[in-house]
Amino acid sequence: MTRRAINPDTMYASVPFGFSHAVEQQPGRTLHLAGQVAWDSQYQLVGGSDVVAQARQALANLKQVLAAAGATPADVVRMRTYIVNHDPEKLGPICAEIAAFYGEAEPAANTVVGVAALALPDFLIEIEVTAALA
């Protein structure tokens, strides 16, 4: 098995924090993407206290990492969504953002987990995916 770290130049630098944005595993090209939060490339939080806006940015970050690996949301086979102080009333709008992430592709399996906190107090949502490529 071979392994390759993927850290797009367009993203915030993750290596100083002890992780890569994605790791490609071969043979079979399986990509394991780190959970993405609502940081832009300058470590600025996008969306403030709006969990839906944060979800939109986290999903945009996932698209950037997938693209850097030559993949698209259609290649995603597994998603995990972690939401701080989960409020079921906000799930609909978050799910709408997730559906938009996939476009016309069928969505992957997804588990939504309510958590007490994430790595930093302003993060309200973190989303991680696994993608499989031919």
Side-chain angles (χ1 to χ4, degrees):
M1 180 186 81
T2 60
R3 181 181 181 279
R4 176 177 71 105
I6 298 168
N7 292 297
D9 293 337
T10 58
M11 300 283 296
Y12 58 90
S14 62
V15 174
F17 294 99
F19 71 95
S20 291
H21 285 289
V23 173
E24 176 182 6
Q25 177 182 324
Q26 292 187 4
R29 289 210 64 213
T30 300
L31 299 173
H32 303 274
L33 279 68
Q36 292 296 319
V37 294
W39 263 354
D40 66 13
S41 63
Q42 301 300 307
Y43 307 98
Q44 298 300 308
L45 181 69
V46 175
S49 62
D50 182 346
V51 69
V52 177
Q54 284 199 25
R56 189 175 308 120
Q57 180 65 38
L59 291 162
N61 289 348
L62 287 167
K63 280 186 177 180
Q64 285 187 62
V65 178
L66 287 166
T72 71
D75 298 308
V76 172
V77 295
R78 182 79 171 96
M79 178 181 280
R80 290 160 204 86
T81 306
Y82 304 95
I83 305 172
V84 173
N85 299 323
H86 176 51
D87 177 355
E89 290 183 16
K90 294 183 181 171
L91 193 55
I94 291 169
C95 288
E97 294 296 329
I98 292 170
F101 167 79
Y102 289 108
E104 297 298 315
E106 289 184 319
N110 187 8
T111 297
V112 176
V113 181
V115 297
L118 293 168
L120 295 176
D122 291 337
F123 295 157
L124 301 177
I125 191 165
E126 184 168 339
I127 305 171
E128 66 178 78
V129 301
T130 303
L133 292 86

